[in-house]
Amino acid sequence: MTQVCVIFGAGEYYAGTPVVPAGAYVIAADGGLDHTRQLGIVPDVVVGDFDSLEGRPPRTDVRTIALPALKDDPDMLSALKVGWSAGCREFHVYGGLGGRIDHTISGIQLMALLARHGASGYLYGDGLIVTAITDGRLSFPAHPVPEDGRMVSAFSHSDVSLGVNEPGLKYELKDGTLTNTVVQGGSNEFRDGVDAAISVEHGTLIVTFPIEVALPQVSRFHEFGGDIGELDTAVSKLLVR
C-alpha cells in the first residue's frame, strides 16, 4: 500500500475538517503549523523558513527542518521532498490553494511534478480538488449527481497532451489532443450514476473535480523513475550578491 503524506500549508482553509488517514505521515509547512495547532494535530515534521508562521516557533519535541529565507525551493516543495524521502507517493495538501495567486500556481505546478514521477498529489481548495496525471488514467466511480451538475475539468500542463480520453463524462472526448495554450477541457460534467475517467497516453494533465466526489483510482501506463530531488537547506547560489 502506498504511504500517504498529509501536508498542511499556510494558504486558505475552507469548509470541512482536513482528513488525516491512520498512519499518515504529517508535515507542517511553515505557517501550516498554525493550522495543525488549531486542529490539535501533531505533525511528524515541521519544515520552513517560518516567515508565514504567526504562532510560537516549533517546539523542540517536534522534528524541525529550518530553511533559509533566501532559497531556491518554496516551503511546499521542501515539504514534498521530506515526504518523498520518507517513502510517500500519495500526497494530500491542505492550505496549498487560495490567498496569493503565485502560491496557488506553485501548488498546481508541484502536482504536475509529482505526476511526472509516478506519484499522486491532491490540493484541497474551495469545494474542489486539484490533481495531475501523467501517461495514465483517473477512474471516477459512478455517483449521484445533483441537477445543477458537478463540473470536472482537464487542462494540459505539458506543451502537448496526446491521446486524451474522457469516457463517461457529458462531453466524451476521444483520442483528443490538448495543449497548454488552448483551453478545450474545461467545464465538463459527471453524469448521474455513470462511471467516468480521464486519461492521457502521453503528457501531463491538470484535473479539477468537486471535493464531494470520491478520489479517483489511479492507473499508469508505464513505470516511472527518478525522484523529485533532494532537500536543499542551503542559501541560493543563483542570487546576485
Side-chain angles (χ1 to χ4, degrees), residues 1-2 4 89-92 111-112 114-124 129-141 196-200 203-205 207 209 214-224:
M1 181 178 293
T2 300
V4 174
R89 296 297 182 268
E90 181 177 321
F91 298 82
H92 298 262
M111 296 305 99
L114 291 173
R116 289 178 180 178
H117 290 281
S120 297
Y122 303 95
L123 288 170
Y124 290 77
I129 293 175
V130 180
T131 189
I133 183 70
T134 297
D135 302 354
R137 178 184 179 98
L138 301 175
S139 300
F140 295 90
I198 295 175
S199 65
V200 55
T204 299
L205 299 178
V207 178
F209 59 93
L215 293 180
Q217 179 180 346
V218 181
S219 54
R220 298 180 175 88
F221 300 149
H222 59 79
E223 295 293 326
F224 288 79

Side-chain angles (χ1 to χ4, degrees), residues 48-63:
D49 56 20
F50 307 118
D51 61 344
S52 62
L53 182 67
E54 296 180 359
R56 65 185 184 280
R59 298 186 308 234
T60 56
D61 60 339
V62 175
R63 184 184 172 202

Side-chain angles (χ1 to χ4, degrees), residues 3-216:
Q3 175 69 32
V4 174
C5 179
V6 179
I7 299 176
F8 292 87
E12 294 294 321
Y13 285 67
Y14 304 95
T17 302
V19 176
V20 179
Y25 192 72
V26 179
I27 301 174
D30 206 286
L33 180 60
D34 291 320
H35 296 283
T36 59
R37 287 168 172 166
Q38 293 170 3
L39 294 165
I41 297 170
V42 178
D44 295 289
V45 179
V46 180
V47 59
D49 56 20
F50 307 118
D51 61 344
S52 62
L53 182 67
E54 296 180 359
R56 65 185 184 280
R59 298 186 308 234
T60 56
D61 60 339
V62 175
R63 184 184 172 202
T64 301
I65 299 174
L67 303 173
L70 303 177
K71 58 186 182 300
D72 295 332
D73 293 350
D75 292 332
M76 186 58 71
L77 175 54
S78 295
L80 291 172
K81 287 181 175 181
V82 170
W84 186 284
S85 67
C88 302
R89 296 297 182 268
E90 181 177 321
F91 298 82
H92 298 262
V93 181
Y94 295 92
L97 293 174
R100 286 174 48 180
I101 186 64
D102 55 338
H103 283 172
T104 293
I105 295 172
S106 174
I108 294 172
Q109 294 273 55
L110 292 176
M111 296 305 99
L113 172 66
L114 291 173
R116 289 178 180 178
H117 290 281
S120 297
Y122 303 95
L123 288 170
Y124 290 77
D126 188 8
L128 59 77
I129 293 175
V130 180
T131 189
I133 183 70
T134 297
D135 302 354
R137 178 184 179 98
L138 301 175
S139 300
F140 295 90
H143 59 276
V145 176
E147 291 185 4
D148 59 354
R150 279 193 174 135
M151 295 292 182
V152 54
S153 297
F155 306 94
S156 181
H157 184 270
S158 49
D159 289 345
V160 179
S161 291
L162 302 174
V164 179
N165 293 280
E166 299 184 348
L169 296 180
K170 182 176 181 179
Y171 307 103
E172 291 194 323
L173 182 64
K174 183 176 182 180
D175 195 25
T177 298
L178 300 181
T179 73
N180 60 2
T181 57
V182 177
V183 179
Q184 294 176 319
S187 300
N188 210 330
E189 297 180 35
F190 288 108
R191 294 160 57 192
D192 187 50
V194 177
D195 290 333
I198 295 175
S199 65
V200 55
E201 291 293 330
H202 182 72
T204 299
L205 299 178
I206 300 296
V207 178
T208 69
F209 59 93
I211 202 168
E212 301 88 7
V213 175
L215 293 180

